[in-house]
């Protein structure tokens, strides 16, 4: 499959000849062949119009029809796995085994949403039956279910070129709910994006769907994204990336004449709390696994543990030596882009120069050169310093973490209360620790979307109960998740039908319950007919 | 119960002596005794701090404990029904039978939410069980449920002094979800607000809850509301009122350093479509009932039908004469405030002066005087005029409606497609009409929150399936409803627990399912234990 560098506007390739940009190989720092042409304002408008037209057809498809499309798309992606992995590896330097599992995950996500919409209960059907004899007024028949919102704009993320990108979770959940999607490709992996985009276009065509169900637009800057978010035909936006970029786009979305939902999954430092009992029992093991977690994917996971609270009185003789050993022996790692590398190096220099931080250990540090290389580094401070410099709690994107010593439980609880919103929090403890620090769990419940016990936050299971989100600034909408089957709820809203004849109701709400879905009938869950 | 005119800040009465304001009797135009003192910035800050402190206790109560509180509150309100109705009647001029049924509805709402949280399944518990042997990676145990957001600010509405005010649906659903509430009372019925507020305070005290669970703040202007929405300890806002006021407050909520959910239920014209078959069969009846609907509560319902599409070729000889007869014999009506009266009269004058509108009929028109009186008026135009002047589709708050003639189905569908978001749409039709105009239903599905068949949009049933919301500008968040049990979802967000021991999990997520709630376990709904 040849890479053309053209935006995919429905079934059309953009004719843009504006200043092109290239992808870069992070391992060598070299440009990768193939120029990518930014989408034009006309491309954006055309993509939005096609999407809006497609909505009237696509939104009315049955769950089974949409599921067939998503399953076909997963098969298309699998058929080009080798091509995808090779291209993604050259554009991101992520290891091939990781990219292989990310491809599998991407296909699994598509199939999970296919299974959810094929089963059909996700529409949250509710039926309250009429009571014509009720006094003083008759009770009407009221039936509600979720309907899709309209065209959705998805922003590809830099750090997951497949699972959070063109055919990633946002696209899958949006398509599953019945919404056409316009993806703004991340400029760090445009070739991967184009390959995936063509696979989606093929699936749209093979399935006989209107072309506007999917478009893919390129841009190396911010203009195309800003225009998309403000286009009147766009009805929701999903974004994964940094806090400044996410907030800027959110501000555009909510300041529109017609404000629209904006789902930004942004920065997070993912605090870890190592309680005394766990430290005594498993200090060495935790040190080793923590090192694996904060250096995974070169520390470029949004769930990377970047803040680790541990007792001042080290109840383990093994934690620190093990961590220092692991870090010192860490090779230099490749980051995704030169800009990520530069920010990371700048923040490392900044932290090294601070009097309230100490360097615990450093790995091999790269000499300057064209490749996007960085070294592992671990810092240490105490709760008082963190409380007086809350910026220490900000995300550092790359393979570094910060240990924070606490001297007693009240100090730790204070630190926990001071946290802003995060995607995750992790507690390492024995059952006794959990009882002794029970207040900690209660505090964290109000701070994050996911609380992990005796594990590591990296690795986000794609399942029905997953919550990948959290209070601001972890996300712009804590009421939702961007991973797992509940992500579909972001792109739908309830509509109710009052006193409609059975023949005019959607299948989900008909008396006979032809889809055999779970419904709430007069307040009780049932999958029976009325 | 004496009315003191002081804000209720937890269990404290505000000491403000700032410029007081009064309520007005709309029937006489006279001031009502008792001065109300605007809350001070200190009151606001104190109320927010109390609410935030109360959250850590109140949010952890069981559904049964919160239900007991809501039921007690309903009983307290019932015990002062006569007092409430007398005061509300003097402040709003709404008829006593209406206020009696509104009080009953308010208590029913509280009891509905009590039953929902006592049953407990509303938390949407989901459990995905671990698979330690899964390859390549073990599958963790993931369990999620909804948790409350934190202190919620509720704005009382002018037009429902009880059901959408201090102890109305927003307060009931917020308290049910586990969030303390700070109400900004509507200045048109401050005495009613204080009576209800004291009943809530009593229920808080009787129940042994922390005082910050509820506060009530007065203000005749916009400053207190604006400060509340921007207070860092406030985590969500619910508002019912006009588009300009709602949008201004929403802008404050989303521009905060930490943006928060803003639920504004704003303006709506609630289009009605009378299809040819229904017109032929029931023209006279529809005219009579439509008149009842758009004049109900002096036309001050947010669901008032303000735009009525009907065939150019009048298939009924009886519709127009009946409507004209009903309107002509309509007495002048009392509006809620002088400002509503002035806006209504201004808009009537404006409409009478337009060349693209004709007056169909007018009721008795008031002479100028101190009372807040207005006359019923019906106008008429055609689809072409509506399409060229979309402002004709805007809400006129008061007892007036606009008939819009359509000449054929394509023209009607065009008009439907041009609509902005509304709370409701209504179709009057035979089953044959519904088949012939099936596209209309599909279009309306994307425009509103509720579609009514052969009925009238006024009257919003409080039940599980109700959707009272809709695309902007009907509401600021179409993914939600402000009426019915689904309103509780506005004030909660999902949190998931990974690999926690059973003893540390909330009751809703424990293996034994001690609350016997419905849960999704590995993708299947069940109320069994694991």
């Amino acid at each position: 499959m040849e890479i053309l560098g053209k935006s995919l506007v429905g079934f059309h390739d953009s004719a843009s000849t504006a200043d092109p940009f290239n992808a870069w190989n992070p391992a060598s720092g070299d440009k990768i062949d193939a120029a990518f042409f930014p989408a034009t304002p006309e491309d954006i408008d055309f993509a939005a119009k096609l999407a809006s037209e497609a909505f009237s057809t696509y939104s009315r498809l049955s769950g089974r029809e949409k599921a067939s499309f998503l399953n076909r798309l997963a098969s298309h992606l699998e058929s080009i796995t080798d091509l995808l992995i090779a291209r993604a590896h050259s554009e991101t330097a992520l290891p091939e085994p990781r990219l292989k599992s990310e491809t599998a995950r991407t296909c699994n996500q598509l199939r999970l949403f296919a299974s959810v919409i094929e089963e059909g209960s996700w529409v949250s059907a509710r039926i309250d039956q009429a009571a014509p004899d009720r006094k003083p007024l008759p009770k009407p028949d009221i039936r509600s279910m979720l309907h899709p919102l309209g065209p959705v704009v998805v922003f590809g993320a830099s750090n997951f070129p497949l699972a959070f990108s063109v055919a990633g979770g946002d696209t899958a959940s949006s398509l599953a709910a019945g919404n056409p999607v316009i993806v703004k490709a991340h400029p760090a992996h445009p070739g991967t994006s184009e390959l995936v985009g063509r696979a989606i276009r093929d699936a749209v065509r093979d399935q006989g769907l209107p072309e506007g169900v999917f478009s893919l637009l390129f841009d190396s800057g911010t203009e195309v994204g800003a225009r998309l978010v403000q286009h009147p035909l766009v009805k929701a936006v999903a974004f994964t990336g940094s806090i400044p970029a996410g907030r800027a786009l959110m501000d555009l979305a909510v300041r529109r004449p017609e404000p629209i939902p904006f789902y930004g999954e942004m920065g997070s430092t993912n605090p870890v709390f190592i309680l005394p009992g766990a430290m005594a029992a498993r200090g060495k093991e935790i040190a080793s696994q923590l090192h694996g977690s904060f250096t995974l994917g070169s520390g470029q996971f949004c769930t990377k543990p970047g803040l680790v609270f541990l007792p001042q009185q080290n109840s383990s003789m093994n934690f620190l030596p093990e961590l220092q050993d692991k870090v010192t022996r860490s090779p230099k790692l490749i980051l995704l882009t030169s800009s990520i590398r530069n920010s990371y190096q700048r923040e490392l220099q900044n932290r090294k120069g601070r009097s309230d931080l100490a360097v615990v250990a450093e790995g091999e540090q790269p000499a300057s050169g064209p490749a996007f290389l960085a070294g592992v580094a671990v810092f240490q401070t105490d709760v008082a310093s963190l409380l007086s410099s809350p910026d220490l709690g900000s995300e550092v994107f790359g393979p570094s973490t910060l240990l924070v010593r606490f001297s007693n439980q009240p100090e730790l609880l204070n630190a926990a209360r001071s946290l802003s919103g995060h995607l995750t929090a992790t507690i390492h403890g024995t059952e006794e620790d959990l009882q002794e620090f029970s207040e900690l769990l209660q505090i964290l419940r109000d701070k994050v979307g996911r609380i992990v016990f005796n594990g590591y936050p990296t690795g986000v299971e794609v399942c029905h109960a997953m919550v990948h989100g959290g209070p601001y600034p972890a996300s712009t909408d804590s009421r939702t998740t961007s991973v797992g089957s509940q992500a579909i709820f972001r792109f739908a809203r309830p509509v109710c039908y009052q006193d409609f004849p059975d023949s005019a109701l959607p299948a989900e709400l008909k008396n006979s319950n032809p889809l055999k879905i779970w419904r709430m009938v007069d307040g009780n869950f049932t999958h029976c007919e009325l």
Side-chain angles (χ1 to χ4, degrees), chain A:
Chain A
M1 207 186 290
E2 197 191 352
I3 288 175
L4 303 175
K6 299 279 190 183
S7 291
L8 313 182
V9 185
F11 294 159
H12 300 72
D13 291 345
S14 165
S16 165
T17 53
D19 282 354
F21 67 96
N22 283 69
W24 298 81
N25 185 325
S28 65
D30 295 336
K31 261 193 191 179
I32 302 174
D33 275 349
F36 290 83
F37 297 90
T40 63
E42 293 71 33
D43 292 336
I44 294 166
D45 196 48
F46 191 34
K49 284 190 178 131
L50 286 176
S52 185
E53 283 166 30
F55 179 65
S56 63
T57 307
Y58 186 70
S59 66
R60 299 176 195 179
L61 295 186
S62 68
R64 185 164 299 188
E65 289 166 311
K66 287 182 292 178
S68 161
F69 166 50
L70 294 182
N71 285 327
R72 186 190 288 264
L73 169 54
S75 301
H76 279 13
L77 290 178
E78 278 168 345
S79 72
I80 58 166
T81 299
D82 292 347
L83 197 62
L84 274 181
I85 290 175
R87 179 76 195 191
H89 180 66
S90 73
E91 291 183 330
T92 64
L94 292 170
E96 292 184 1
R98 141 76 192 268
L99 290 167
K100 192 169 175 186
S101 73
E102 195 183 325
T103 308
R105 177 196 167 136
T106 306
C107 296
N108 287 346
Q109 287 178 163
L110 290 162
R111 293 195 174 106
L112 172 69
F113 285 109
S115 72
V116 165
I117 56 180
E118 189 156 19
E119 192 278 330
S121 301
W122 76 275
V123 299
S124 307
R126 289 177 168 220
I127 297 174
D128 289 309
Q129 298 184 89
D133 300 331
R134 191 184 62 174
K135 302 292 174 204
L137 288 171
K139 183 179 175 193
D141 179 284
I142 306 276
R143 304 179 183 216
S144 70
M145 63 177 283
L146 295 175
H147 280 296
L149 296 177
V152 173
V153 165
V154 170
F155 285 79
S158 65
N159 57 344
F160 280 82
L162 298 157
F164 286 81
S165 236
V166 182
D170 288 337
T171 298
S173 51
S174 175
L175 289 173
N179 308 283
V181 169
I182 304 170
V183 174
K184 155 70 176 60
H186 196 283
H189 48 76
T192 312
S193 297
E194 183 178 328
L195 292 173
V196 173
R198 291 189 178 276
I200 302 178
R201 178 193 272 186
D202 288 347
V204 170
R205 205 188 316 249
D206 294 352
Q207 202 75 14
L209 298 177
E211 58 175 323
V213 166
F214 176 75
S215 288
L216 173 69
L217 304 183
F218 289 111
D219 189 18
S220 60
T222 60
E223 193 185 325
V224 168
R227 280 182 186 266
L228 277 170
V229 169
Q230 293 174 96
H231 198 287
L233 295 175
V234 167
K235 299 301 177 190
V237 181
F239 167 90
T240 303
S242 72
I243 295 177
R247 181 66 194 248
L249 290 170
M250 176 194 165
D251 286 345
L252 294 178
V254 298
R255 291 175 190 200
R256 292 164 45 122
E258 178 196 347
I260 55 174
F262 181 87
Y263 303 104
E265 194 261 85
M266 308 195 295
S268 186
T269 318
N270 305 295
V272 173
F273 299 83
I274 308 177
L275 301 183
M279 182 60 101
R282 299 185 287 110
K284 184 174 176 186
E285 180 195 328
I286 294 173
S288 169
Q289 293 173 340
L290 183 67
H291 172 265
S293 182
F294 81 78
T295 60
L296 192 67
S298 302
Q300 299 165 118
F301 274 46
C302 46
T303 51
K304 185 200 79 172
L307 207 53
V308 181
F309 293 91
L310 66 169
Q312 186 81 51
Q313 300 300 326
N314 206 336
S315 48
S316 163
M317 302 305 291
N318 303 318
F319 176 86
L320 210 59
E322 173 71 10
L323 185 64
Q324 286 170 321
D325 179 58
K326 279 276 191 292
V327 169
T328 310
R329 294 194 290 112
S330 296
K332 54 192 186 233
L333 298 170
I334 311 174
L335 298 182
L336 291 161
T337 69
S338 63
S339 135
I340 291 172
R341 187 259 324 261
N342 295 345
S343 298
Y344 178 72
Q345 296 292 23
R346 207 162 40 234
E347 185 54 28
L348 241 51
Q349 287 314 311
N350 169 31
R351 296 201 160 196
K352 285 178 185 172
R354 292 182 69 128
S355 61
D356 53 354
L357 295 186
V359 176
V360 170
E362 283 193 276
E364 182 190 2
Q365 298 297 311
S368 64
F372 308 155
L373 294 170
V376 177
V378 175
F379 299 88
Q380 182 167 291
T381 190
D382 55 20
V383 167
S385 300
L386 177 68
L387 292 179
S388 64
S389 300
D391 60 303
L392 286 175
S394 302
E395 185 179 24
V396 176
F397 204 68
S400 180
T401 194
L402 173 60
L403 310 182
V404 184
R405 299 281 184 175
F406 66 89
S407 48
N408 52 45
Q409 180 170 164
E411 195 182 60
L412 183 67
L413 298 183
N414 262 346
R417 286 194 194 93
S418 80
L419 292 170
S420 65
H422 291 278
L423 291 168
T424 74
T426 298
I427 296 174
H428 279 277
T430 59
E431 295 223 10
E432 294 69 40
D433 283 332
L434 265 190
Q435 280 173 22
E436 194 184 336
F437 287 78
S438 64
E439 183 68 16
L440 177 62
L441 182 56
Q442 300 290 346
I443 294 169
L444 295 179
R445 192 200 70 181
D446 295 327
K447 299 290 185 182
V448 305
R450 176 165 58 113
I451 313 177
V452 180
F453 185 64
N454 287 348
Y456 300 89
T458 41
V460 183
E461 183 71 22
V462 179
C463 58
H464 299 292
M466 176 49 63
V467 178
H468 189 64
Y472 191 89
S475 82
T476 56
D477 191 334
S478 72
R479 296 160 296 173
T480 64
T481 173
S482 72
V483 175
S485 64
Q486 296 183 91
I488 195 172
F489 297 124
R490 296 178 297 169
F491 303 113
R493 67 180 183 88
V495 175
C496 85
Y497 298 83
Q498 178 167 330
D499 286 333
F500 267 80
D502 201 62
S503 60
L505 286 168
E508 289 85 349
L509 298 178
K510 285 186 194 297
N511 288 334
S512 63
N513 193 10
L515 305 179
K516 306 283 172 247
I517 59 175
W518 284 92
R519 311 190 289 191
M520 180 190 271
V521 177
D522 296 331
N524 301 307
F525 284 101
T526 165
H527 59 279
C528 301
E529 58 187 278
L530 290 192

